[in-house]
């Protein structure tokens, strides 16, 4: 956790952003505390709730001290009072008092702010406290609180950036471990297991379930017991979460046998150019949706050169033809959650009143981040090109985007798989930079040399 002043300052700013009523922030399991509770209270123990009274300026940490039976199994822990003092909260109360706090607020017709719950136990707790049925709780959640939390958590403090850099260092070790181990005959499961162990060994955890698959065309391809085959590409999408719960998220695609084929290099070079292009155009004041579309136009131009697309580039992108190859957005917010604050609803996190999502067009509807960038934002840059046999057949049958796609040529790539290259971008005062002390090998020559050296 950070120092006491961090949490005191964050809660003070939150009170400034809100108007009246009381805020209730629910804790979570000790294995992964709720991120917003962590952001404002910094405590990892389960069974805690933070209450911020906006009208009288008081803050209360609600929770029960553990008893002797808990100590037998889990050991001694700080009292709730000691934990509260550690993060600058003056008041504590047992969990049974939370019902009284809520009842009194409702009696006085005061507003009770809570964030959209995503765990069933929290939904039941809210039902018991406020009488709001679980199916109505997302609608009843406080928009004012959501917007205040998004405003604060979107712009990363210096100490948060430093923590994200630490996550990137672990992520580097995870990815280079995958490159070092990968060879024909090993299973996807084996390599993925070794990758995960790197995160665990550094006192962290994986920031999401590791994707390691020769079927790179599957967006979330879970590692299987399939053996790695010479001549194929393997896609590794993984990241670390530090002990202070900040995440990294990177993707690399590399040849199982350590050597790219010419056809693989042709597609790889396009994804690589798109990955680099984002770094050139992302800066404060630029909409990330425009960065995404700029990448899509570059990708379309290059795919035309290979004979996989045709027609006017701008018209093709406007029609969504590029989504045959890139059916997801360029990136998402990053921070304490790998898809930062996604539980608060992407409409508030990645978009705003100026920039609205396109929910109708295939591919574009998966763009999680479109709003204007600001200094201190951290977003992912993850272009990809995927050849999905069923999607090729579906669009050919329906004639979708037939004026921009060369289906006969596409048929030749049905066995290709997919390529994605991903890094985490920090928006700076005049541009952006990648996070991480060292760059995970990404240039084809560097990838091949690293894998060759790793094999001795």
């Amino acid at each position: 956790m950070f120092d006491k002043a961090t949490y005191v300052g964050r809660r003070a700013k939150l009170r400034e952003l809100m108007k009246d009523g009381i805020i209730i922030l629910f804790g979570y399991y000790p294995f992964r505390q709720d991120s917003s509770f962590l952001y404002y209270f910094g405590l990892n123990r389960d069974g805690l709730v933070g209450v911020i009274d906006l009208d009288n300026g008081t803050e209360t940490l609600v929770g029960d001290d553990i008893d002797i039976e808990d100590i037998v199994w889990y050991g001694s822990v700080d009292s709730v009072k000691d934990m509260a003092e550690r993060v600058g909260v003056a008041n504590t109360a047992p969990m049974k008092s939370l019902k009284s706090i809520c009842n009194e607020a409702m009696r006085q017709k005061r507003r009770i702010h809570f964030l959209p719950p995503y765990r069933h136990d929290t939904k039941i707790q809210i039902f018991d406290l406020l009488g709001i049925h679980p199916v109505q709780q997302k609608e009843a959640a406080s928009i004012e609180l959501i917007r205040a939390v998004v405003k604060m958590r979107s712009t990363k403090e210096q100490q948060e950036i430093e923590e994200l850099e630490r996550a990137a260092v672990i992520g580097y070790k995870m990815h280079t471990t995958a490159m070092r181990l990968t060879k024909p005959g090993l299973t996807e499961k084996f390599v993925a297991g070794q990758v995960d162990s790197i995160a665990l060994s550094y006192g962290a955890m994986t920031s999401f379930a590791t994707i390691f698959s020769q079927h790179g065309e599957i967006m979330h391809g879970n590692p299987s017991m399939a053996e790695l085959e010479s001549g194929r590409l393997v896609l590794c999408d993984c990241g670390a979460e530090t002990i202070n719960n900040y995440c990294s998220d990177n993707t690399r695609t590399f040849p199982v046998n350590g050597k790219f084929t010419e056809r693989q290099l042709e597609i790889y070079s396009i994804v690589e150019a798109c990955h680099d292009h984002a770094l050139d155009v992302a800066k404060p004041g630029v909409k990330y949706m425009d960065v995404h579309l700029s990448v899509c136009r570059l990708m379309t131009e290059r795919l035309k050169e290979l004979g996989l697309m045709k027609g006017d580039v701008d018209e093709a992108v406007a029609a969504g033809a590029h989504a045959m190859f890139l059916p997801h957005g360029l990136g998402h917010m990053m921070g304490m959650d790998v898809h930062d604050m996604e539980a608060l609803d992407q409409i508030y996190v990645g978009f705003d009143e100026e920039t609205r999502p396109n929910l109708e067009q295939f591919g574009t509807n998966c763009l999680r981040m479109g709003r204007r960038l600001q200094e201190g934002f951290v977003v992912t840059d993850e272009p990809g090109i995927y050849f999905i046999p069923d999607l090729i057949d579906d669009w050919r049958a329906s004639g979708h985007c037939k004026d921009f796609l060369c289906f006969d040529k596409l048929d030749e790539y049905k066995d290709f798989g997919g390529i994605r290259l991903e890094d985490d971008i920090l928006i700076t005062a005049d541009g952006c930079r990648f996070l991480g002390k060292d760059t995970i090998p990404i240039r084809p020559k560097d990838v091949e040399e690293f894998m060759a050296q790793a094999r001795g």
Side-chain angles (χ1 to χ4, degrees):
M1 62 188 296
F2 299 129
D3 59 45
K4 180 194 294 188
T6 292
Y7 304 105
V8 172
R10 286 174 176 175
R11 295 192 300 270
K13 184 174 180 181
L14 181 62
R15 290 198 300 273
E16 290 174 8
L17 292 171
M18 301 291 289
K19 293 177 182 176
D20 53 28
I22 65 172
I23 297 169
I24 300 176
L25 296 173
F26 293 88
Y28 191 13
Y29 285 176
F31 307 108
R32 183 51 168 93
Q33 182 62 280
D34 174 79
S35 292
S36 290
F37 181 88
L38 268 178
Y39 186 82
Y40 293 105
F41 288 90
L43 299 167
N44 250 318
R45 211 202 84 178
D46 59 328
L48 298 174
V49 174
V51 177
I52 301 172
D53 194 312
L54 300 168
D55 300 314
N56 63 31
T58 61
E59 299 171 345
T60 305
L61 183 65
V62 179
D64 296 327
D65 290 325
I66 67 170
D67 59 24
I68 190 63
E69 289 193 15
D70 291 319
I71 291 172
V72 167
W73 290 100
Y74 303 111
S76 296
V77 298
D78 290 342
S79 67
V80 174
K81 186 175 186 302
D82 288 339
M83 287 189 290
E85 288 177 355
R86 204 158 74 240
V87 294
V89 176
N91 306 300
T92 61
M95 188 57 72
K96 66 181 181 182
S97 68
L98 187 58
K99 180 69 172 173
S100 300
I101 292 170
C102 292
N103 285 345
E104 182 62 17
M106 288 188 290
R107 187 187 68 78
Q108 296 175 357
K109 300 190 182 324
R110 299 173 66 198
R111 300 170 70 197
I112 299 177
H113 304 275
F114 62 88
L115 297 172
Y118 51 91
R119 286 193 57 86
H120 294 299
D121 49 354
T122 304
K123 292 179 180 181
I124 293 169
Q125 193 173 12
I126 291 173
F127 184 47
D128 289 342
L129 292 169
L130 306 178
I132 303 172
H133 193 278
V135 299
Q136 300 170 320
Q137 288 171 10
K138 183 177 180 181
E139 229 175 73
S142 170
I143 303 301
E144 186 181 347
L145 180 57
I146 290 171
R147 286 178 171 154
V149 171
V150 169
K151 180 180 178 63
M152 291 184 65
R153 286 183 55 190
S154 292
T155 303
K156 304 300 184 282
E157 304 160 351
Q158 182 56 37
Q159 60 188 343
E160 292 182 283
I161 294 169
E162 292 169 1
E163 198 66 29
L164 287 164
E165 294 278 17
R166 293 186 189 101
V169 168
I170 304 171
Y172 173 88
K173 296 178 186 295
M174 294 169 73
H175 275 276
T176 51
T177 294
M179 288 183 181
R180 178 172 53 82
L181 290 177
T182 293
K183 63 180 180 180
L186 294 179
T187 65
E188 295 174 358
K189 278 278 190 185
F190 176 82
V191 177
Q194 300 300 307
V195 166
D196 289 354
S197 73
I198 298 297
L200 297 174
S201 68
Y202 281 88
M205 63 180 83
T206 59
S207 52
F208 57 95
T210 293
I211 297 165
F212 188 85
S213 175
Q214 295 171 108
H215 284 283
E217 77 279 8
I218 301 173
M219 300 303 108
H220 290 168
N222 293 323
S224 71
M225 288 303 294
E227 289 189 357
L228 299 174
E229 299 175 15
S230 183
R232 296 184 67 175
L233 294 171
V234 65
L235 186 150
C236 181
D237 186 345
C238 66
E241 183 172 320
T242 69
I243 200 73
N244 284 322
N245 303 106
Y246 284 81
C247 300
S248 70
D249 183 7
N250 302 92
T251 306
R252 292 293 186 267
T253 308
F254 44 92
V256 170
N257 64 9
K259 191 74 175 174
F260 289 101
T261 66
E262 283 304 312
R263 188 171 77 148
Q264 288 167 351
L265 280 174
E266 287 177 344
I267 301 300
Y268 190 100
S269 68
I270 301 175
V271 181
E272 182 184 13
C274 291
H275 168 274
D276 294 349
H277 182 64
L279 195 66
D280 292 335
V281 297
K283 61 183 178 180
V286 172
K287 291 181 182 179
Y288 210 53
M289 178 177 282
D290 290 339
V291 180
H292 167 80
L293 292 173
S294 183
V295 163
C296 293
R297 285 191 289 271
L298 174 59
M299 181 180 294
T300 300
E301 288 172 0
R302 295 286 299 272
L303 287 168
K304 277 184 63 179
E305 293 172 5
L306 285 183
L308 288 162
M309 296 189 73
K310 60 185 178 179
D312 182 81
V313 169
D314 289 337
E315 289 179 8
V317 172
H322 63 279
M324 164 65 74
F325 308 94
L326 179 63
H328 61 74
L330 180 62
H332 51 80
M333 285 279 208
M334 270 277 305
M336 297 182 82
D337 309 310
V338 73
H339 288 173
D340 211 22
M341 301 173 283
E342 196 166 46
L344 303 185
D345 199 331
Q346 212 60 41
I347 195 72
Y348 302 111
V349 179
F351 297 88
D352 53 24
E353 291 181 4
E354 179 195 15
T355 309
R356 310 306 291 170
N358 180 344
L359 301 177
E360 304 301 321
Q361 189 180 75
F362 176 81
T364 310
N365 61 356
C366 292
L367 178 62
R368 292 188 173 101
M369 176 64 187
R371 59 190 279 213
R372 289 191 189 279
L373 299 167
Q374 297 178 31
E375 183 179 358
F377 280 16
V378 175
V379 295
T380 61
D381 165 24
E382 49 180 305
I385 291 178
Y386 314 92
F387 295 91
I388 306 168
D390 289 340
L391 187 63
I392 294 170
D393 292 342
D394 182 73
W395 282 26
R396 180 201 284 273
S398 67
H400 183 60
C401 289
K402 60 183 175 59
D403 294 333
F404 307 108
L405 297 168
C406 303
F407 286 105
D408 288 344
K409 186 73 171 178
L410 276 168
D411 284 340
E412 298 174 15
Y413 284 78
K414 282 185 176 179
D415 64 345
F416 186 92
I419 294 172
R420 180 164 66 251
L421 299 173
E422 175 185 16
D423 286 302
D424 305 328
I425 291 178
L426 169 67
I427 306 302
T428 59
D430 56 0
C432 63
R433 69 172 177 86
F434 289 131
L435 290 173
K437 178 185 174 185
D438 298 307
T439 301
I440 303 163
I442 190 169
R443 308 303 173 202
K445 182 180 177 182
D446 294 339
V447 171
E448 291 180 345
E449 286 181 356
F450 182 89
M451 294 183 74
Q453 290 170 3
R455 297 174 186 203

